[in-house]
Amino acid sequence: MTGSVPTGDELVAILAALANPLRLRIVARLAGGRDYVSHLARDIGISRPLLHMHLQRLEAAGLIAGSLELSEDGKAMKYYELTDFHLHLTASTVAEAVRTLTPSDPDKGPAPKEQS
């Protein structure tokens, strides 16, 4: 997401992804450069399974990207880095995004992204 106005569903995913203190720490840590999962987990002080859950949420929102690489000793290592995202949140941005939200089905309740 670079320079474009997000759709309503994209905005919900981005805000939901950033609405967690651990995910904010991950983003802040990756702002200093890409890192691999084990080091990132140790640096932040959480388990790798918990980190993976948060990384998946950030990646699904388009805020980070992961790539698998081989180390010199042949081990597969997953690296993550921030994408080039920019979000300028204003009342008009929100109003424009709302017009593109996936509509709710009154019989089924709120759309899945509205339950985040």
Side-chain angles (χ1 to χ4, degrees):
M1 189 187 96
T2 56
S4 64
V5 176
T7 66
D9 292 340
E10 290 169 341
L11 183 59
V12 168
I14 291 166
L15 294 176
L18 293 174
N20 179 285
L22 281 175
R23 289 194 286 269
L24 284 177
R25 288 179 191 192
I26 294 166
V27 169
R29 174 60 188 80
L30 292 175
R34 71 187 201 120
D35 204 353
Y36 61 97
V37 171
S38 294
H39 185 259
L40 194 53
R42 281 191 306 273
D43 197 41
I44 294 174
I46 60 175
S47 69
R48 284 193 318 247
L50 181 58
L51 176 63
H52 274 289
M53 182 192 75
H54 289 295
L55 291 170
Q56 287 174 342
R57 187 78 179 259
L58 290 166
E59 195 168 25
L63 301 173
I64 65 170
S67 60
L68 197 56
E69 298 179 20
L70 289 178
S71 66
E72 290 180 9
D73 61 356
K75 289 187 348 187
M77 299 176 70
K78 183 83 179 230
Y79 281 86
Y80 284 92
E81 62 187 333
L82 291 179
T83 60
D84 185 23
F85 72 89
H86 175 82
L87 180 62
H88 183 78
L89 196 59
T90 64
S92 62
T93 303
V94 172
E96 188 174 333
V98 165
R99 289 195 294 271
T100 64
L101 280 171
T102 301
S104 301
D105 183 343
D107 296 331
K108 295 182 182 176
K113 293 195 185 255
E114 292 177 11
Q115 297 172 0
S116 297

